[in-house]
Amino acid sequence: NHYLQNAHVYSPYTPYQAEISQGRLEMLYHYQSIVQNITQMDIAVASLIDNGQVGMDLLTLMTQKTKKRIVYVQDSINVPLMNCLRMRANHQNIELKTFYSVNQLACLTDNDKLKECAGIFIQTPTMLGTLLSCHALENLKTRFPHLLVACHSDLMYMTQYSPQSTHIDFMFGNG
């Protein structure tokens, strides 16, 4: 349901602070539910944390969970996010390697370079507007199930195109 259909949102009644807080929590909960439905992920979190912070937290989570220090990042990921990932990687001695496309990553499976990889950051649509085909990603996850995949995406994009989240572990972006 659309939150503006809720009369409590635009009522002329002047609420107390506790009622305002309750209303904000309720709207965050409904927003989370909408995001969960759009992304088709098991869990959705609505927060005030920006993309850069979420990306840095995911980078740390990937390396701590897998105990590996290499993470591949798509080279056409948005620049502010890439800067944040580089900063966190620098502070935590994580090696970031860039790749052009998921198909290029698939070539790395031939010599098993991805065995030492903690995870992959992708973005769709890319900062150039191209869409990512997840067929090669499916093959990667089949061969290397330990790989954690984080996808930076736009919520408006996902309302128009069905998200291919079956092989994506984390999806984040702006609402």
Side-chain angles (χ1 to χ4, degrees):
N1 292 335
H2 198 275
Y3 68 88
L4 289 179
Q5 292 174 346
N6 185 351
H8 301 333
V9 173
Y10 53 85
S11 167
Y13 169 70
T14 305
Y16 295 102
Q17 182 64 40
E19 292 171 317
I20 292 172
S21 297
Q22 180 63 33
R24 287 180 180 165
L25 287 173
E26 186 178 344
M27 286 181 47
L28 274 175
Y29 172 75
H30 289 301
Y31 179 72
Q32 264 179 204
S33 300
I34 291 168
V35 170
Q36 186 176 3
N37 288 338
I38 291 172
T39 61
Q40 299 174 2
M41 300 294 280
D42 295 332
I43 299 170
V45 178
S47 74
L48 300 176
I49 298 175
D50 66 340
N51 291 336
Q53 183 64 50
V54 173
M56 290 188 298
D57 292 345
L58 288 173
L59 185 66
T60 301
L61 187 139
M62 285 176 174
T63 55
Q64 287 180 351
K65 179 164 177 31
T66 62
K67 307 289 187 230
K68 298 176 190 302
R69 309 302 296 170
I70 299 171
V71 175
Y72 281 86
V73 181
Q74 186 178 2
D75 66 353
S76 56
I77 207 162
N78 86 24
V79 176
L81 176 58
M82 186 61 153
N83 291 340
C84 290
L85 293 175
R86 284 185 180 133
M87 183 180 69
R88 178 63 58 93
N90 186 34
H91 287 279
Q92 294 186 349
N93 296 321
I94 299 168
E95 184 179 354
L96 288 184
K97 295 185 176 186
T98 59
F99 64 94
Y100 176 71
S101 70
V102 178
N103 291 332
Q104 181 188 8
L105 269 182
C107 294
L108 296 175
T109 61
D110 295 337
N111 54 12
D112 290 336
K113 285 187 178 180
L114 293 179
K115 281 185 180 177
E116 299 305 315
C117 177
I120 302 169
F121 275 89
I122 58 175
Q123 179 174 322
T124 186
T126 67
M127 69 177 185
L128 304 173
T130 58
L131 302 179
L132 184 69
S133 170
C134 289
H135 181 69
L137 183 62
E138 180 181 346
N139 294 337
L140 284 176
K141 288 287 283 188
T142 301
R143 179 127 187 237
F144 302 101
H146 75 279
L147 280 178
L148 296 174
V149 178
C151 179
H152 180 257
S153 191
D154 179 58
L155 197 57
M156 291 304 291
Y157 160 77
M158 289 189 289
T159 62
Q160 299 299 313
Y161 300 95
S162 62
Q164 302 169 346
S165 60
T166 55
H167 300 288
I168 295 172
D169 301 301
F170 308 101
M171 191 169 286
F172 66 105
N174 289 333

